[in-house]
Amino acid sequence: STSASNVTINGKAGDFSGFLIDNVEYEISGADITLGDTDVDGLNTNDFAGLGAAVMVSGDSGKLTVTDSSFETTGVAKLPIFVDNGGSLLMKNSSLNAKGGTIYEGYMSTADQMEMVSPPWVLGLDGAVANARASNLMGNYSLGVYVDCDVEAYGWAGLSTDSGSMMHLVAVNTTIDVEKSGYGTYVIGGCTQD
């Protein structure tokens, strides 16, 4: 299959993902994906690896086009969109909403990507409420383009980039709303942003 249209996906498990697009071209249109719930506390999610992401695209040949779709996640480090390893995303006329959750008891703020489920304290964000990004762009030469989209995050980030180099993040006629402690966009590692 090279496309999916008018798909509805509902899932509550933290590590459940809706679409994993790896080194292929794919189109998603008219999708309604709602994943996670308030019990997703960060023990089985990872937004540096796409574990639990609603949609993930990766690889140099990974090219995903999303139109007229809605992706909503609830839970700690539960991403609507994850792009990695040179993957390319074009999202049009769609919405992302990351609602976050309550971090598991005993979590200590860390910059270790294997364990981090909220931003490290050095960013000055309140990790208790800032624990879900609406998107994350990582890896070398990865691309994320958002056109006429609505992006919402309860806390942490709307459109984020992380480890990698030569990434490109583009937002055109796109609204980014972060309700609590967080940022709209973030660039790192030689990423360019338009």
Side-chain angles (χ1 to χ4, degrees), residues 44-127:
N44 60 349
T45 54
N46 186 323
D47 63 3
F48 294 96
L51 179 63
V55 176
M56 173 182 169
V57 58
S58 93
D60 294 339
S61 300
K63 298 183 185 346
L64 174 62
T65 301
V66 177
T67 56
D68 303 317
S69 296
S70 173
F71 305 149
E72 180 180 294
T73 57
T74 301
V76 175
K78 187 96 173 133
L79 281 166
I81 287 283
F82 181 68
V83 182
D84 194 15
N85 261 348
S88 298
L89 167 74
L90 171 59
M91 176 171 269
K92 300 183 291 186
N93 195 36
S94 297
S95 65
L96 304 177
N97 189 354
K99 293 189 170 182
T102 302
I103 297 175
Y104 63 88
E105 189 173 337
Y107 175 73
M108 299 291 291
S109 180
T110 178
D112 182 348
Q113 293 180 356
M114 297 301 293
E115 298 179 17
M116 188 191 317
V117 295
S118 69
W121 65 270
V122 294
L123 290 182
L125 303 178
D126 182 356

Side-chain angles (χ1 to χ4, degrees), residues 141-157:
Y141 301 100
S142 298
L143 171 67
V145 179
Y146 301 85
V147 180
D148 296 320
C149 292
D150 290 314
V151 179
E152 295 180 55
Y154 180 78
W156 193 350

Side-chain angles (χ1 to χ4, degrees), residues 20-57:
L20 301 175
I21 312 299
D22 185 31
N23 273 312
V24 296
E25 290 192 33
Y26 203 81
E27 294 184 17
I28 299 172
S29 63
D32 184 3
I33 301 175
T34 305
L35 299 184
D37 67 17
T38 56
D39 291 333
V40 176
D41 60 9
L43 281 173
N44 60 349
T45 54
N46 186 323
D47 63 3
F48 294 96
L51 179 63
V55 176
M56 173 182 169
V57 58

